[in-house]
């Protein structure tokens, strides 16, 4: 109780201090605002949604904002907030931020929440120095204004951005370099708008390639030759890893904001098609696999799976390719519907709708590759999609706001094959039985719940050759947790976790130093972690020996700016997680 009173008093003092700051800010405009008004600074930045021209709707109940302040708020919102709260602020992974809610909460509540974050996964934008006090104040007022609606983005707009840099006929017919592609890592340099290709053995950067802003994922073609990366700005870059120096051979933008890309995997259709899903507009685009030529756009706007009510913004989250049929499984986030897209005949496209809980986000296959373990994070459930039968096999209640990445598969000493997810909203890790044949009593049930270091987890990972389960928590507001990683011994799960100080091992200068996304090398004997600070701070990649759990290497380079996701070519190509 005493600790709670101290915490409440601390927050109250912070609210008062920030209120005073806000009063001062009204008298002296932030430098960024003055710079915009005087024409010395262009508002926009890497996010096309943030740069798009949108109308500022005036509401007499909303706190006053100049157009310059509104433009800054729009830019920050679409770069930092829209991914969780939605373009139209109707919520998904994050809570709704529509004005009926934000105006009722009021400025002091919102300012405190933005500044400090929460254990449920809301980043501490202020205390981590990701946003200045003035920017926190701008965002406090911005989300009390009506959300502006971005423009649409169709075939005409896509074709205007489509570029074939090296036509397929002019590309190598065999691998022209000495790189060990199976142990190559594609590393997202988020705020730099680049990916770094890093050799897994030497830990040397092979290439740094310009891509789009905030690359969300890297995916490999079925052959392992092509690397597809897609950024939050909806720009796709196709990189040929066979070239003497791996380089882009095609690019396109499929919208204003996006997250997901995949290629066809079914026999006879290997890499014939690529598919990308957009957050805005809410749609997915089928393309030629080797040129990215856009072929067909499908909107996801429609009715929700539970209330059967129309939703204007069902953003496309995870996409996976079936190994049993020529089909893509496409998550329509807000409607809670998985689109089963048959790509065998694009002129007469067949799309089946699988009803699941809301809101669909990420997920991956269990160990056999038949069942897609699909996180519906707002419902605190995992939907199990049978890709062979094309139907929902189960809906499983787990912890608060599951966020597994692709999840983690391993053999539990008692319950047999399991798939694991961690959570944004609590410290638990849910282990789900995945073998309906030999372990039928355990199938599609939470067979064990582990307690991790804290909420705010984004990814967990293991490897078939490892007996460790690694769990991050980069969005936890406690630096002691966000700058560390919890590791469990799969053979002794009841013994709890060991907390390793990854950020401390990195030896970087002061900064946010969030530790994010464990990724194994090809051999399964190393785990790589991103130590993620802001663009103006030093970041690094830390490599840990999986068997000893000791530091093995630190990759530091001026080019390693805001590293987040890391994707080993072999593991990503073969769904090893």
């Amino acid at each position: 109780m005493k600790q709670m009173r101290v915490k409440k008093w601390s927050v109250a003092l912070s609210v008062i201090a920030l209120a005073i700051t806000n009063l001062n800010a009204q008298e002296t405009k932030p430098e960024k605002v003055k710079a915009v008004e005087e024409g010395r600074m262009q508002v926009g930045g890497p996010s096309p949604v943030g740069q798009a021209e949108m109308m500022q709707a005036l509401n007499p109940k909303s706190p006053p904002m100049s157009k310059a302040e509104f433009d800054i708020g729009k830019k920050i919102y679409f770069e930092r907030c829209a991914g969780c709260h939605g373009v139209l602020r109707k919520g998904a992974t994050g809570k709704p931020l529509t004005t009926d809610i934000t105006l009722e909460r009021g400025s002091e509540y919102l300012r405190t929440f933005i500044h400090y974050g929460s254990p449920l996964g809301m980043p501490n934008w202020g205390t981590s120095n990701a946003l200045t006090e003035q920017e926190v104040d701008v965002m406090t007022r911005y989300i009390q204004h009506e959300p502006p609606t971005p423009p649409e983005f169709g075939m005409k707009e896509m074709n205007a951005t489509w570029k074939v840099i090296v036509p397929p006929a002019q590309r190598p017919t065999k691998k022209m370099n000495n790189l060990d592609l199976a142990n190559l890592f594609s590393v997202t340099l988020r705020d730099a708008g680049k990916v770094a290709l890093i050799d897994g053995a030497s830990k040397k950067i092979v290439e740094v390639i310009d891509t789009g802003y905030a690359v969300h994922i890297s995916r490999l073609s079925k052959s392992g030759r092509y690397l597809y990366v897609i950024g939050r700005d909806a720009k796709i870059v196709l990189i040929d890893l066979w070239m003497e120096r791996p380089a882009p051979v095609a690019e396109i933008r499929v919208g204003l904001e996006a997250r997901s890309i995949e290629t066809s995997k079914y026999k006879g259709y290997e890499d014939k098609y690529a598919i990308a899903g957009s957050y805005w507009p809410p749609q997915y685009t089928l393309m030629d696999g080797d040129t990215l030529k856009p072929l067909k756009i499908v909107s996801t706007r429609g009715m929700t799976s539970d209330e059967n009510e129309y939703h204007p913004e069902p953003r496309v989250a995870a996409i996976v390719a079936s190994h049993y049929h020529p089909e893509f499984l496409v998550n329509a986030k807000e409607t809670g519907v998985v689109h089963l897209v048959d790509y065998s005949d694009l002129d007469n496209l067949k799309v089946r709708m699988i009803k699941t809980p809301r809101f669909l986000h990420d997920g991956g296959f269990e160990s056999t590759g038949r069942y897609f373990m699909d996180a519906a994070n707002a419902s605190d459930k995992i939907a199990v999609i049978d890709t062979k039968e094309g139907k929902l096999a189960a809906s499983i209640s787990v912890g608060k706001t599951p966020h597994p990445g692709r999840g983690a598969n391993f053999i539990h000493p008692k319950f047999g094959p399991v798939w694991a997810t961690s959570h944004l909203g609590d410290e638990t890790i849910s282990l789900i039985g995945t073998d309906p044949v030999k372990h039928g009593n355990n199938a599609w049930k939470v067979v064990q719940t582990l307690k991790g270091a804290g909420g705010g987890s984004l990814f967990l990972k293991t490897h078939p050759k490892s007996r460790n389960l690694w769990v991050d928590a980069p969005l936890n507001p406690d630096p002691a947790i966000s700058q560390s990683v919890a590791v469990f011994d799969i053979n002794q799960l009841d013994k709890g976790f060991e907390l390793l100080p990854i950020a401390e091992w990195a030896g970087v200068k002061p900064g946010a130093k969030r530790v994010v996304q464990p990724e194994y090398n090809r051999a399964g004997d190393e785990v790589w972690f991103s130590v993620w600070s802001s663009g103006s701070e030093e970041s690094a990649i830390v490599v840990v020996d999986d068997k000893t759990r000791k530091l093995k290497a630190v990759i530091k380079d001026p080019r390693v700016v805001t590293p987040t996701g890391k994707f080993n070519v072999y593991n990503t190509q073969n769904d090893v997680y």
Side-chain angles (χ1 to χ4, degrees):
M1 288 296 293
K2 181 178 179 181
Q3 184 179 2
M4 186 178 296
R5 287 195 298 269
V6 169
K7 185 175 181 181
K8 286 183 177 179
W9 178 242
S10 175
V11 171
L13 287 175
S14 299
V15 168
I16 295 170
L18 286 169
I20 294 171
T21 300
N22 186 35
L23 290 173
N24 292 335
Q26 291 176 6
E27 296 176 5
T28 305
K29 292 183 178 180
E31 174 59 25
K32 285 188 179 181
V33 175
K34 291 194 294 183
V36 170
E37 292 178 337
E38 295 168 8
R40 293 184 284 110
M41 172 182 167
Q42 295 297 317
V43 173
S47 171
V49 190
Q51 296 179 72
E53 190 65 34
M54 302 180 219
M55 295 297 293
Q56 178 180 358
L58 299 178
N59 184 333
K61 296 181 180 179
S62 302
M65 294 189 82
S66 69
K67 185 180 185 303
E69 290 175 321
F70 186 84
D71 285 342
I72 289 173
K74 177 164 65 77
K75 175 180 182 291
I76 293 172
Y77 182 83
F78 285 109
E79 289 184 2
R80 303 283 191 176
C81 316
C84 286
H85 297 286
V87 169
L88 302 181
R89 300 193 211 149
K90 292 183 177 293
T93 305
K95 298 291 185 182
L97 293 176
T98 48
T99 52
D100 59 318
I101 296 171
T102 57
L103 286 170
E104 180 183 349
R105 293 289 190 270
S107 294
E108 290 193 359
Y109 173 92
L110 295 171
R111 188 181 298 110
T112 301
F113 198 66
I114 295 169
H115 187 77
Y116 288 99
S118 81
L120 299 181
M122 170 71 175
N124 51 325
W125 297 111
T127 57
S128 67
N129 296 320
L131 298 179
T132 66
E133 289 186 5
Q134 291 86 357
E135 288 170 333
V136 169
D137 173 63
V138 166
M139 294 311 299
T140 297
R141 289 178 285 144
Y142 176 80
I143 60 176
Q144 294 179 76
H145 283 247
E146 297 298 328
T149 302
E152 300 295 318
F153 201 94
M155 190 65 76
K156 177 182 177 182
E157 290 79 11
M158 289 186 196
N159 277 317
T161 70
W162 175 49
K163 183 188 300 182
V164 178
I165 302 166
V166 182
Q170 297 177 21
R171 297 174 194 170
T173 57
K174 62 180 180 179
K175 189 162 85 75
M176 302 298 291
N177 57 60
N178 295 321
L179 297 174
D180 180 6
L181 295 185
N183 202 29
L184 192 70
F185 287 76
S186 174
V187 179
T188 297
L189 306 179
R190 186 189 185 280
D191 292 354
K194 304 173 187 290
V195 295
L197 303 182
I198 302 180
D199 177 64
S202 68
K203 315 297 187 291
K204 301 294 185 183
I205 296 176
V206 174
E207 295 287 341
V208 175
I209 298 173
D210 289 332
T211 56
Y213 168 72
V215 166
H216 193 65
I217 59 171
S218 296
R219 288 290 180 262
L220 272 297
S221 62
K222 177 71 173 177
S223 66
R225 170 179 182 169
Y226 290 116
L227 177 70
Y228 297 78
V229 297
I230 187 166
R232 290 192 171 193
D233 58 359
K235 182 179 180 180
I236 304 168
V237 176
L238 177 61
I239 298 168
D240 188 351
L241 299 178
W242 278 14
M243 297 175 74
E244 186 174 349
R245 295 183 61 178
V249 292
E251 64 180 46
I252 192 173
R253 276 185 53 214
V254 292
L256 296 178
E257 187 174 357
R259 293 294 187 280
S260 52
I261 190 163
E262 182 59 286
T263 62
S264 50
K265 302 291 176 63
Y266 188 64
K267 186 176 180 181
Y269 291 89
E270 295 94 333
D271 302 330
K272 182 175 182 180
Y273 298 117
I275 184 173
S278 302
Y279 266 28
W280 190 270
Q283 61 194 29
Y284 49 91
T285 304
L286 292 112
M287 300 161 281
D288 276 333
D290 58 356
T291 66
L292 301 181
K293 178 182 179 181
L295 302 172
K296 199 170 193 72
I297 304 171
V298 182
S299 173
T300 57
R301 291 181 171 107
M303 314 310 283
T304 61
S305 62
D306 49 6
E307 301 295 336
N308 207 34
E309 295 179 345
Y310 178 76
H311 199 291
E313 190 196 353
R315 297 171 292 168
V316 177
I319 302 175
V320 297
S322 171
H323 299 280
Y324 287 86
H325 302 284
E327 294 174 333
F328 293 116
L329 286 83
V330 179
N331 275 355
K333 194 180 188 86
E334 279 75 10
T335 51
V337 174
V338 175
H339 292 224
L340 209 58
V341 183
D342 184 339
Y343 52 76
S344 62
D345 183 359
L346 296 190
D347 290 332
N348 302 283
L349 190 70
K350 296 178 183 177
V351 180
R352 282 187 288 170
M353 305 289 198
I354 300 177
K355 177 182 176 181
T356 74
R358 300 165 70 197
F359 296 134
L360 297 171
H361 191 60
D362 54 356
F365 287 111
E366 45 69 57
S367 58
T368 70
R370 172 173 173 173
Y371 297 93
F372 177 38
M373 311 296 289
D374 200 355
N377 50 31
S379 299
D380 304 331
K381 293 183 182 295
I382 299 295
V384 182
I385 310 294
D386 184 344
T387 64
K388 183 177 181 180
E389 299 296 330
K391 64 182 182 180
L392 181 69
S395 179
I396 307 161
S397 296
V398 290
K400 183 66 177 173
T401 318
H403 195 292
R406 306 194 88 179
N409 290 297
F410 61 91
I411 305 299
H412 192 285
K414 180 179 180 180
F415 300 110
V418 298
W419 178 90
T421 180
S422 53
H423 301 86
L424 271 169
D426 65 34
E427 73 277 14
T428 65
I429 299 99
S430 298
L431 310 184
I432 298 171
T434 59
D435 181 8
V437 178
K438 296 182 180 180
H439 298 81
N441 291 335
N442 301 327
W444 318 136
K445 300 175 183 176
V446 175
V447 296
Q448 187 173 3
T449 300
L450 309 177
K451 184 176 180 180
S457 175
L458 292 179
F459 303 101
L460 75 172
K461 192 65 66 78
T462 188
H463 189 277
K465 296 182 179 179
S466 172
R467 300 309 296 169
N468 286 323
L469 175 65
W470 303 84
V471 185
D472 71 13
L475 297 187
N476 194 287
D478 183 351
I481 297 174
S482 66
Q483 296 180 7
S484 302
V485 67
V487 54
F488 293 82
D489 183 337
I490 290 172
N491 291 323
Q492 303 180 77
L493 292 168
D494 292 335
K495 294 184 70 172
F497 61 87
E498 180 182 4
L499 197 65
L500 300 184
I502 302 296
E504 180 183 320
W505 290 353
V508 296
K509 297 172 184 176
K513 296 186 288 190
R514 301 180 190 276
V515 174
V516 64
Q517 205 246 351
E519 176 73 349
Y520 275 86
N521 64 344
R522 166 71 176 87
D525 57 10
E526 290 179 356
V527 194
W528 292 36
F529 298 92
S530 295
V531 179
W532 171 27
S533 291
S534 73
S536 61
E537 299 168 335
E538 188 178 24
S539 294
I541 295 169
V542 170
V543 182
V544 177
D545 186 291
D546 183 68
K547 289 184 172 59
T548 66
R549 302 182 181 177
K550 303 295 184 183
L551 176 65
K552 189 168 185 178
V554 177
I555 302 172
K556 284 196 281 190
D557 188 291
R559 295 171 290 177
V560 179
V561 178
T562 58
T564 50
K566 301 163 299 304
F567 301 88
N568 173 267
V569 166
Y570 180 88
N571 293 339
T572 305
Q573 176 189 358
N574 294 281
D575 292 325
V576 178
Y577 42 80

